[in-house]
Amino acid sequence: MTDTTSAETAQSIRLKGLGIALIGALLMSLDPVFIRFSGVNELETSLLFGLFTAISMSVVIQLNDRRGLVQVLRDSGLSRVS
């Protein structure tokens, strides 16, 4: 009975991950439509995308990793982060 429960749990986790990936892909496929309608040029789009990615990833790391953002960056190989 334990094997069945762990198999169901693993399948449930896979389905949840697949669902999250599909929702993310769907939302990302809508980006070009909104970018075109916004009238922002390519350089501004790249800058804003990078900026918001850096901010959101920093917040997610800070909230989900006990080591904290600075220690995660140090562990990743960035030695000059203080």
Side-chain angles (χ1 to χ4, degrees), residues 8-55:
E8 289 174 358
T9 303
Q11 185 176 5
S12 173
I13 291 171
R14 273 190 228 110
L15 287 174
K16 182 179 179 181
L18 181 62
I20 291 170
L22 287 174
I23 290 170
L26 176 67
L27 290 174
M28 287 178 63
S29 69
L30 296 173
D31 276 353
V33 174
F34 293 120
I35 291 170
R36 182 164 303 253
F37 286 136
S38 70
V40 178
N41 69 26
E42 297 84 13
L43 184 60
E44 291 172 342
T45 302
S46 297
L47 176 73
L48 291 173
F49 181 77
L51 179 67
F52 289 131
T53 300
I55 291 170

Side-chain angles (χ1 to χ4, degrees), residues 42-80:
E42 297 84 13
L43 184 60
E44 291 172 342
T45 302
S46 297
L47 176 73
L48 291 173
F49 181 77
L51 179 67
F52 289 131
T53 300
I55 291 170
S56 63
M57 287 304 296
S58 299
V59 170
V60 168
I61 289 171
Q62 188 67 32
L63 293 175
N64 291 327
D65 200 322
R66 283 191 238 171
R67 297 175 294 171
L69 180 63
V70 173
Q71 190 60 41
V72 168
L73 290 174
R74 282 189 185 138
D75 293 346
S76 72
L78 294 175
S79 61
R80 295 201 168 229

